[in-house]
Amino acid sequence: MKPAVALCLALLCGAPAMAQNVQLAGILGGKALLVMGAGAPRAVAVGQSVDGVRVLAVGREEVSIEAGGERQTLRLGDGPVSVGARTSARASLVLHANAGGHFVDSGSINGRPMQFIVDTGATAVSIGRAEAERLGVKLQDGKSVRMQTANGTTQGWLVKLASVRIGPLEQHDVQAIVTQEPMPYVLLGNSFLQPYEMTRKGGELTLQSR
């Protein structure tokens, strides 16, 4: 191999993956219409990839994608996001206790707004049936379980949530328990919290990516 050719190949192999901008322009027949950079919209089905961006799931107003080994959620109406380049920054969120000493904040489940209360003693994210159905969670696709509550034994469902987000922190395919009883908040349990370091100082709770 000629030295000049070998040098070019070495430079190409050693070059880091560059970030690119991608935007969700629409959803068509279960496919995501993705705009890569300044290009035209391209229809991408679940499991397919375009320019290094793979579509994982398509919802009603959002899609989950993977690029550069990282997962992100794109939502209709949002501006372009940068994907495909890893960053050494550790995402973190500081929560402040309310008057009752609970850490409550707003976020989203499957792209829909939701109010959370952090519960480090809960094994999984817990959500009431009415809220789950409003979010489009299909209980028949989950596993029926029996739950012990203060009012006795009741039925529940073990399901997977496509995405759970609070502040800059987001997890995909999060295990959750759906309860029969209505709940004023979604309990943010360890099925979401486990990947984060939790540090409490006074009335502040910091969640930081490991």
Side-chain angles (χ1 to χ4, degrees):
M1 183 180 293
K2 294 182 180 180
V5 175
L7 178 59
C8 288
L9 289 176
L11 289 174
L12 287 173
C13 292
M18 299 299 291
Q20 60 178 327
N21 289 331
V22 58
Q23 183 175 11
L24 179 62
I27 295 174
L28 180 63
K31 294 184 177 181
L33 295 179
L34 300 182
V35 177
M36 315 299 295
R42 302 165 72 174
V44 187
V46 173
Q48 294 183 338
S49 299
V50 56
D51 295 346
V53 175
R54 185 163 69 97
V55 174
L56 302 176
V58 176
R60 297 172 63 182
E61 298 180 352
E62 76 286 329
V63 300
S64 296
I65 63 169
E66 182 179 43
E70 296 182 352
R71 293 186 174 191
Q72 294 193 44
T73 299
L74 305 179
R75 297 178 176 81
L76 287 173
D78 287 355
V81 298
S82 180
V83 300
R86 291 185 177 272
T87 174
S88 58
R90 298 169 64 193
S92 64
L93 173 68
V94 178
L95 299 171
H96 299 275
N98 63 13
H102 301 293
F103 295 98
V104 179
D105 206 346
S106 59
S108 66
I109 294 178
N110 297 353
R112 302 285 185 89
M114 194 63 57
Q115 284 290 110
F116 295 111
I117 182 169
V118 175
D119 186 352
T120 57
T123 302
V125 172
S126 298
I127 182 173
R129 179 173 182 172
E131 285 294 340
E133 292 178 341
R134 184 177 70 84
L135 291 168
V137 176
K138 297 180 179 179
L139 301 183
Q140 64 269 25
D141 292 340
K143 178 182 179 180
S144 180
V145 295
R146 302 299 294 176
M147 302 173 55
Q148 191 66 38
T149 69
N151 298 321
T153 303
T154 184
Q155 182 183 9
W157 295 267
L158 189 64
V159 300
K160 283 287 187 70
L161 302 175
S163 67
V164 179
R165 172 187 286 270
I166 181 170
L169 308 180
E170 183 173 25
Q171 297 290 327
H172 298 267
D173 297 328
V174 179
Q175 189 176 72
I177 290 288
V178 177
T179 67
Q180 285 277 19
E181 294 79 9
M183 300 173 62
Y185 299 100
V186 173
L187 297 184
L188 201 60
N190 286 302
S191 59
F192 177 87
L193 297 172
Q194 191 274 330
Y196 305 107
E197 294 179 359
M198 290 179 282
T199 305
R200 181 167 182 173
K201 186 178 296 185
E204 291 185 350
L205 177 67
T206 300
L207 307 180
Q208 187 170 44
S209 300
R210 299 182 187 276

